[in-house]
Amino acid sequence: DYKSYIEDIIYSLESRGANVIPNYSFLKAHNNKVFMELLRKQINSPELNNLHSSIFGNYEDLLKKINNTNYPCVIKSSTGAKSTGIRLANNSKELKKFAKKLSRSFKGTYEIKDFLRKFIHKGYVPESRFQNKFILQQFIPNLKNDWKVLVYDNKYYLLERLVRTNDFRASCSGKFKFVTKYPEGLLDYVEKIFNILQIPNLNIDVAYDGKSFYTFEFQAIYFGTYTISYSDFYFTKINNEWEKINSKSNLEKEYANSIANFIKKIHV
């Protein structure tokens, strides 16, 4: 609720001409995966949009399109972190079950009153009891890991996350590794997205199926800092080649530098 208040302030400032860093869209997308999907479609970058997804405002919206769904698919609640609210549906029965659970909205006594209205007012249709928005996302099979990449200006921090045992999710698996070997093209892929987004820092979750890179999620504000805090090195591009720099980073310093350097760039 307080975040909604902050959004009001930031949106008002931006609408009056203030240079908000990052812009209001990224604040709204924080912990709002439905808007994140809309934002990535709005940006219209092939690198960001090669993972098919659909958004839904309630359970009934899903039922209208469920016959067009490909299985298996990933269903995700719009809010939540650390893989909470993420399920794999292998068929329509599972999808309906998970969608009902994730979208269930409780309104207390209002829900009872709304139900009784149909007996008082002929033809009245009660409101949906499943109004929490959610997402369907394309499932990438046979993944053994994904990659979390944090970007602070020109410094890239890389964390390999192995999937959970007998699961498909890597977030919060606890199986994390700071590695120097990674798929060729990974950092170039992230760099391109980072430049397209025009933000001072980035948190992005990337999968690689052996042929293509896919962005599961991205954030530009208020994201976890484990990857920078516990890494003993980072990658940076020197003479158009990625170089590993053995150095422990200070989070506060890198955050401040990324903001300062971003301000310099937008005023050049």
Side-chain angles (χ1 to χ4, degrees):
D1 291 335
Y2 195 79
K3 177 178 178 283
S4 175
Y5 169 71
I6 295 174
E7 286 188 11
D8 292 341
I9 300 298
I10 299 303
Y11 181 74
S12 176
L13 288 169
E14 188 172 84
S15 66
R16 285 183 280 166
N19 289 323
V20 179
I21 302 174
N23 69 50
Y24 170 76
S25 295
F26 294 102
L27 173 61
K28 185 172 178 62
H30 171 255
N31 204 30
N32 184 347
K33 297 174 185 178
V34 163
F35 187 75
M36 185 190 301
E37 293 303 311
L38 292 171
L39 181 59
R40 79 156 88 199
K41 288 178 172 61
Q42 176 185 331
I43 294 168
N44 196 28
S45 162
E47 291 78 14
L48 274 176
N49 287 285
N50 61 345
L51 187 70
H52 178 72
S53 66
S54 302
I55 60 173
F56 300 92
N58 57 34
Y59 177 70
E60 289 76 9
D61 284 349
L62 171 67
L63 295 181
K64 297 174 185 177
K65 299 181 179 180
I66 198 165
N67 291 333
N68 299 323
T69 303
N70 295 319
Y71 301 98
C73 65
V74 178
I75 179 171
K76 305 166 66 172
S77 60
S78 187
T79 62
K82 299 181 179 180
S83 291
T84 59
I86 300 178
R87 300 290 185 272
L88 181 66
N90 294 290
N91 50 56
S92 61
K93 182 178 180 180
E94 289 185 356
L95 179 57
K96 290 177 183 178
K97 174 185 174 182
F98 296 144
K100 271 193 170 183
K101 183 176 181 180
L102 294 180
S103 65
R104 183 68 171 99
S105 50
F106 296 93
K107 299 181 179 179
T109 56
Y110 174 83
E111 192 171 293
I112 299 174
K113 292 178 181 178
D114 187 63
F115 174 78
L116 295 175
R117 286 192 181 99
K118 68 178 183 179
F119 300 104
I120 301 172
H121 305 287
K122 185 178 179 180
Y124 179 78
V125 179
E127 292 183 7
S128 170
R129 294 180 292 117
F130 304 93
Q131 294 189 42
N132 287 330
K133 55 191 176 181
F134 59 95
I135 302 151
L136 293 190
Q137 197 172 71
Q138 175 187 349
F139 175 63
I140 308 299
N142 304 318
L143 292 180
K144 297 181 180 180
N145 66 295
D146 69 11
W147 304 88
K148 176 173 284 295
V149 185
L150 267 57
V151 184
Y152 290 81
D153 192 32
N154 62 346
K155 297 182 179 181
Y156 289 63
Y157 301 84
L158 183 62
L159 182 70
E160 181 183 10
R161 307 187 302 184
L162 303 179
V163 299
R164 304 178 187 183
T165 303
N166 299 321
D167 203 339
F168 70 100
R169 296 167 291 185
S171 177
C172 208
S173 69
K175 300 179 178 181
F176 303 149
K177 295 192 297 181
F178 293 97
V179 294
T180 57
K181 294 183 179 180
Y182 52 86
E184 183 179 355
L186 172 62
L187 293 181
D188 288 325
Y189 171 82
V190 173
E191 180 188 39
K192 189 166 186 178
I193 291 176
F194 180 62
N195 291 334
I196 290 171
L197 295 179
Q198 297 183 345
I199 51 180
N201 35 62
L202 171 68
N203 170 41
I204 187 169
D205 298 340
V206 179
Y208 181 62
D209 65 358
K211 295 180 180 179
S212 301
F213 294 102
Y214 303 90
T215 295
F216 286 149
E217 295 180 9
F218 62 93
Q219 294 88 30
I221 187 171
Y222 201 68
F223 49 78
T225 57
Y226 176 94
T227 305
I228 182 174
S229 296
Y230 289 92
S231 180
D232 293 325
F233 57 88
Y234 61 86
F235 296 91
T236 192
K237 186 171 275 190
I238 302 174
N239 296 325
N240 212 36
E241 296 288 338
W242 291 102
E243 300 286 345
K244 174 176 170 282
I245 307 299
N246 293 310
S247 177
K248 189 78 174 177
S249 296
N250 178 277
L251 170 62
E252 290 78 8
K253 179 180 178 181
E254 299 305 330
Y255 182 77
N257 284 340
S258 67
I259 298 293
N261 291 333
F262 182 79
I263 293 172
K264 290 178 182 178
K265 289 177 184 177
I266 63 177
H267 284 286
V268 170

